[in-house]
Amino acid sequence: MTPAMRMFVALVPPAEVVEHLDDFLEPRRAAADFRWAAPEQVHVTLAFLAQVADRHLDELVERLGRAAGRRTPFDVRIAGGGAFPNVARARVVWAGLDLDEHGRTELDRLATGARAAASRTGIAVDGQRFRAHLTLARLGRPAEVSGWVRLLDGYAGPVWRADRVALVASYLGEGPRGRPRHEVVEELPIGG
């Protein structure tokens, strides 16, 4: 029997958008001993699925496709940032999204639809309520990061059209320096 796969459903910014963010962060990364996310792994997680059995994959893709098809594309940009659980004792530094009302609604509904598609397929969805963000760095121990959040508050990347979601497999320890390796299994159009 094949082991279950770790997967997630994500909104993945185009390469030029990630490059813009990477160019902004690159000269500043050495100032902190964080575990920085690789540019090719920057994404907005809509639903995290810790265990997806092979037998559920086709149905999951079909249901995700229907869920994404019910939404409409929207404009978005990476802008601002924050920290989890908070700036005083951060474990994660993240970038935010700048969305108009239509974009916020569509993104929230995409996340809800992705979670529902997984649940209806019989796959447990991990995580708490959806909070749109892109993880930039993880900290080995809690730290005060208000300077980093202020820096990110001054960042606004280029606008892009969110017109697809990705189903991504995550292979722990198979990437550079023991990080996860991500592989896009399927891309599904938003709005059919």
Side-chain angles (χ1 to χ4, degrees), residues 1 14 21 36 39 70 72 92 122 126 140 169 176-177:
M1 182 167 153
L21 175 63
W36 292 95
R70 285 193 284 272
T72 57
V92 171
D126 285 8
R177 295 188 299 281

Side-chain angles (χ1 to χ4, degrees), residues 44-77:
V44 179
T45 301
L46 302 173
F48 179 72
L49 317 171
Q51 296 196 3
V52 179
D54 270 354
R55 69 181 186 280
H56 288 141
L57 197 52
D58 289 343
E59 183 183 351
L60 175 63
V61 168
E62 186 180 314
R63 288 181 182 276
L64 286 172
R66 285 200 304 264
R70 285 193 284 272
R71 308 284 28 108
T72 57
F74 54 93
D75 290 335
V76 60
R77 85 162 78 211

Side-chain angles (χ1 to χ4, degrees), residues 35-41 171-182:
R35 287 188 321 270
W36 292 95
E40 64 274 9
Q41 294 187 341
Y171 302 98
L172 292 180
E174 291 186 15
R177 295 188 299 281
R179 293 182 177 164
R181 177 177 62 84
H182 293 168

